[in-house]
Amino acid sequence: MKDANIEKQYATSGARLNNFIRMAMFVLLAAALFQSILTPISPRRAYWWSNIKNLGRSLQYHGQDINANFFEGWYFKMVKENEGSDHNNSTVQGMAVIMGIYRPPLEAQDHQRAHAFVLPLGLSGPEKYAYYRFPTEEFVDFGSHLPGEERAFRIRIGNNLFAHDEVILDLPVKNFERIPIDELEAFYAVASAEYGLQYLQQARREKKAHGEGEEKVNEQPLPLTFFRGLFPSTAQLKEAELLEPFAIKAHFKFPAKTQTPLPKSLLFPTIMGITHYIPFLECNHGVASLQHPIQYGRIMTLYGNNSIVSEATFDGGIGYIEKDWGINFPSTWFWAQTNMFRKSPGSSMMVSGASVPWLGPDVTDWIATHLPRALPLTRFAGMLIIYYDAASKTLYNFSSYMPLARIKHLRFALDVEAGTQTMSLHATTKDPNGNLWERVALEINVTRTMGTGYPLRAPNRMRGKMAVTVEETVVAKTRVKLWRVRSGEVLVDDEGIGSGAEIVGDALWLENRINS
Ligand SMILES: *[C@@H]1O[C@H](CO)[C@@H](O)[C@H](O)[C@H]1NC(C)=O
Ligand SMILES: *[C@@H]1O[C@H](CO)[C@@H](O)[C@H](O)[C@H]1NC(C)=O
Ligand SMILES: *[C@@H]1O[C@H](CO)[C@@H](O)[C@H](O)[C@H]1NC(C)=O
Ligand SMILES: *[C@@H]1O[C@H](CO)[C@@H](O)[C@H](O)[C@H]1NC(C)=O
Ligand SMILES: *[C@@H]1O[C@H](CO)[C@@H](O)[C@H](O)[C@H]1NC(C)=O
């Protein structure tokens, strides 16, 4: 993970890349000008300026001067393998603390809606997740912008502290917000329909593979009630609604020197690589630590009368930190992350792919109305795919922006009998340790149990507010294989547990973009 390597590595493709960058810059500049003509109002400009100002400081808060149309969210993940479980029957406790700030568009402005939030998932009590809402005034950024302190991140929300090496939760009952049943029901309906569509697509694919007219293959779509039945029932939701609200206290420590940050360079200031320079992306992604041990981790949930509901410890567990910021979440995306591998401790994988309106939402909307034919050109399937091998300290990078990387295959498949959904991905890239002609291939399968993820609120463009739109899994399983294509040498063949996973929106669109 030496920055100096990057120069050497790309020396060959340098000239081509330079042309590409120049052209990309030109297109971006044109779009940016266009953008400021279309939206002379300040929030979007403030966002653009903030991304320039904070270049290479992805962990830091980007919203200082932005009063609308903005969100920023940090994701702190903790996993720990339970004692006594063997490799064939492993139980892993996984949780995430997501926190951030949301400012709706000016036109949807409603003071109730702009707020800061803390969202713990994977709790050990009777309720597995909670939403705590705070006034935006209680969100205070103590981050340092001094050179060399880019990672000194520090935010306070109420009495909670979030830093690059520590999280302290003190979430009182008064900020607890129960997600209304109708919001959950609306989400379960959409999520079930998405599973249903994937199932239908899969049946069609199998039918095609077996030859048209073959009757053996199931072409009967499963009723939507089947998929809705995988989520909590209406009766269960009503029961949960009657439960007491609870408070949370927690403390997690993960010293900076034990973390695995991404290498940084001019071409690759963040995980987004060169695409980080696109200044008005709908959503930016940052990875702060690929893997770190949790030195100390305690969490408890309590009732208002201070009686303890549940406790969990994460001492000796494994952590991960990433974040998103921008205008909205994409309309369609998948994401998975694993850093608890059987054979390769310290290794880490992160994959994500999204439908990216690369000209920004405003220009895209304008094109939709005035140049509808050009609309397909305004979206590309952007992929961020990395595998970090701890033993050899090598970062394999298969992301779309890598000149020699190719994503060859993407598939979402359901196993209705096992009740699981699997995301399979196959990609190749230049071997960072090999000769010019050697390629490295990555094959992964991320499998989760359908309907068992936690409902996660995310900024929603259509509704102009934070709404539950994501089934957030923290304990999926991942199979990883990494090998040299020419020599056939297998570099990694491993299983990861406690994986994070999300699959949201039009999965078929992503599949088609990659597989065609
Ligand atoms: C797996 O391990 C858990 C706890 O370690 C135990 O409760 C469970 O019975 C085990 N399951 C099997 C199939 O061995
Ligand atoms: C786990 O499974 C593997 C292969 O499936 C088997 O060889 C091994 O004996 C099993 N181990 C235990 C402890 O059950
Ligand atoms: C992508 O991979 C290359 C080499 O494998 C690495 O030097 C670069 O830093 C990576 N980019 C990011 C954003 O991680
Ligand atoms: C505290 O409140 C909970 C929930 O209302 C109740 O079940 C419990 O008995 C109370 N404990 C004490 C010590 O009052
Ligand atoms: C992923 O799943 C596919 C289909 O089941 C299988 O052929 C492939 O070997 C799996 N890959 C890994 C790395 O487990």
Side-chain angles (χ1 to χ4, degrees), residues 481-500:
K481 204 175 152 189
L482 189 79
W483 70 96
R484 292 209 160 97
V485 175
R486 284 184 162 239
S487 71
E489 181 192 354
V490 175
L491 301 165
V492 176
D493 186 359
D494 209 344
E495 186 184 32
I497 54 172
S499 315

Side-chain angles (χ1 to χ4, degrees), residues 389-441:
D389 182 51
S392 63
K393 290 195 168 22
T394 306
L395 184 69
Y396 298 92
N397 197 333
F398 304 83
S399 307
S400 308
Y401 55 76
M402 295 294 289
L404 298 172
R406 281 197 46 207
I407 294 106
K408 301 199 146 175
H409 184 76
L410 174 69
R411 185 70 84 214
F412 302 97
L414 306 185
D415 181 336
V416 169
E417 248 141 61
T420 57
Q421 179 190 41
T422 296
M423 183 193 91
S424 306
L425 194 145
H426 181 190
T428 59
T429 194
K430 190 193 164 311
D431 183 353
N433 294 329
N435 60 39
L436 200 58
W437 297 277
E438 187 57 284
R439 294 273 179 281
V440 177

Side-chain angles (χ1 to χ4, degrees), residues 82-86 88-91:
N82 283 327
E83 278 163 31
S85 62
D86 64 56
N88 296 349
N89 171 33
S90 94
T91 52

Side-chain angles (χ1 to χ4, degrees), residues 283-515:
C283 186
N284 297 273
H285 197 68
V287 173
S289 175
L290 285 166
Q291 214 271 1
H292 51 254
I294 294 168
Q295 186 190 63
Y296 179 88
R298 305 288 157 88
I299 178 162
M300 64 174 150
T301 55
L302 314 110
Y303 287 127
N305 60 12
N306 269 338
S307 70
I308 294 170
V309 188
S310 72
E311 287 174 289
T313 71
F314 282 86
D315 297 9
I318 291 174
Y320 174 81
I321 309 172
E322 66 163 40
K323 68 173 293 198
D324 291 290
W325 73 97
I327 304 162
N328 270 303
F329 265 43
S331 53
T332 289
W333 81 90
F334 69 84
W335 167 87
Q337 155 281 328
T338 311
N339 57 11
M340 188 185 257
F341 286 100
R342 296 246 168 269
K343 300 183 214 158
S344 25
S347 293
S348 183
M349 178 210 86
M350 197 287 290
V351 302
S352 96
S355 156
V356 181
W358 63 286
L359 296 171
D362 304 314
V363 175
T364 308
D365 283 352
W366 188 88
I367 291 176
T369 345
H370 297 94
L371 287 168
R373 275 208 204 170
L375 201 57
L377 299 176
T378 61
R379 290 185 177 273
F380 71 90
M383 305 276 158
L384 304 175
I385 303 173
I386 51 169
Y387 179 87
Y388 171 68
D389 182 51
S392 63
K393 290 195 168 22
T394 306
L395 184 69
Y396 298 92
N397 197 333
F398 304 83
S399 307
S400 308
Y401 55 76
M402 295 294 289
L404 298 172
R406 281 197 46 207
I407 294 106
K408 301 199 146 175
H409 184 76
L410 174 69
R411 185 70 84 214
F412 302 97
L414 306 185
D415 181 336
V416 169
E417 248 141 61
T420 57
Q421 179 190 41
T422 296
M423 183 193 91
S424 306
L425 194 145
H426 181 190
T428 59
T429 194
K430 190 193 164 311
D431 183 353
N433 294 329
N435 60 39
L436 200 58
W437 297 277
E438 187 57 284
R439 294 273 179 281
V440 177
L442 174 77
E443 189 177 272
I444 61 161
N445 291 334
V446 182
T447 301
R448 68 169 171 184
T449 306
M450 289 189 273
T452 57
Y454 306 113
L456 172 64
R457 272 181 173 163
N460 187 287
R461 178 144 200 250
M462 305 304 284
R463 288 183 244 169
K465 62 176 186 176
M466 293 275 292
V468 174
T469 40
V470 186
E471 180 186 353
E472 178 78 17
T473 304
V474 290
V475 291
K477 282 193 177 163
T478 303
R479 290 273 331 148
V480 179
K481 204 175 152 189
L482 189 79
W483 70 96
R484 292 209 160 97
V485 175
R486 284 184 162 239
S487 71
E489 181 192 354
V490 175
L491 301 165
V492 176
D493 186 359
D494 209 344
E495 186 184 32
I497 54 172
S499 315
E502 301 168 353
I503 297 166
V504 178
D506 189 355
L508 191 60
W509 182 88
L510 281 171
E511 281 189 351
N512 288 342
R513 280 288 166 121
I514 299 301
N515 301 336

Side-chain angles (χ1 to χ4, degrees), residues 115-146:
H115 66 283
F117 55 88
V118 182
L119 222 164
L121 307 156
L123 300 170
S124 59
E127 293 200 74
K128 304 296 179 202
Y129 62 90
Y131 196 89
Y132 293 85
R133 178 188 289 257
F134 293 84
T136 49
E137 297 73 37
E138 289 191 41
F139 180 104
V140 187
D141 171 28
F142 291 104
S144 167
H145 284 248
L146 297 173

Side-chain angles (χ1 to χ4, degrees), residues 166-373:
E166 185 172 27
V167 169
I168 299 172
L169 297 184
D170 182 0
L171 296 162
V173 166
K174 75 173 164 57
N175 295 82
F176 180 96
E177 175 176 306
R178 190 168 293 287
I179 296 177
I181 292 190
D182 57 357
E183 185 178 337
L184 290 170
E185 290 279 16
F187 162 64
Y188 292 141
V190 171
S192 314
E194 285 172 6
Y195 278 131
L197 276 174
Q198 283 171 42
Y199 184 75
L200 194 67
Q201 182 58 23
Q202 183 171 327
R204 287 196 185 130
R205 214 160 45 220
E206 279 166 12
K207 189 171 169 190
K208 221 171 167 180
H210 285 74
E212 229 69 46
E214 182 100 26
E215 294 310 317
K216 272 201 324 230
V217 180
N218 180 16
E219 53 185 286
Q220 207 63 32
L222 277 173
L224 279 187
T225 49
F226 170 83
F227 294 104
R228 175 62 187 84
L230 301 170
F231 292 100
S233 66
T234 307
Q236 282 168 326
L237 296 181
K238 285 194 171 138
E239 231 168 79
E241 200 175 35
L242 302 174
L243 294 172
E244 259 334 271
F246 53 91
I248 293 182
K249 288 190 197 285
H251 193 179
F252 301 99
K253 284 203 256 187
F254 30 89
K257 62 177 190 302
T258 62
Q259 298 182 7
T260 310
L262 277 176
K264 250 195 294 192
S265 65
L266 212 56
L267 257 188
F268 304 107
T270 70
I271 181 73
M272 312 250 303
I274 188 82
T275 59
H276 181 76
Y277 290 98
I278 303 178
F280 28 72
L281 279 179
E282 186 176 40
C283 186
N284 297 273
H285 197 68
V287 173
S289 175
L290 285 166
Q291 214 271 1
H292 51 254
I294 294 168
Q295 186 190 63
Y296 179 88
R298 305 288 157 88
I299 178 162
M300 64 174 150
T301 55
L302 314 110
Y303 287 127
N305 60 12
N306 269 338
S307 70
I308 294 170
V309 188
S310 72
E311 287 174 289
T313 71
F314 282 86
D315 297 9
I318 291 174
Y320 174 81
I321 309 172
E322 66 163 40
K323 68 173 293 198
D324 291 290
W325 73 97
I327 304 162
N328 270 303
F329 265 43
S331 53
T332 289
W333 81 90
F334 69 84
W335 167 87
Q337 155 281 328
T338 311
N339 57 11
M340 188 185 257
F341 286 100
R342 296 246 168 269
K343 300 183 214 158
S344 25
S347 293
S348 183
M349 178 210 86
M350 197 287 290
V351 302
S352 96
S355 156
V356 181
W358 63 286
L359 296 171
D362 304 314
V363 175
T364 308
D365 283 352
W366 188 88
I367 291 176
T369 345
H370 297 94
L371 287 168
R373 275 208 204 170

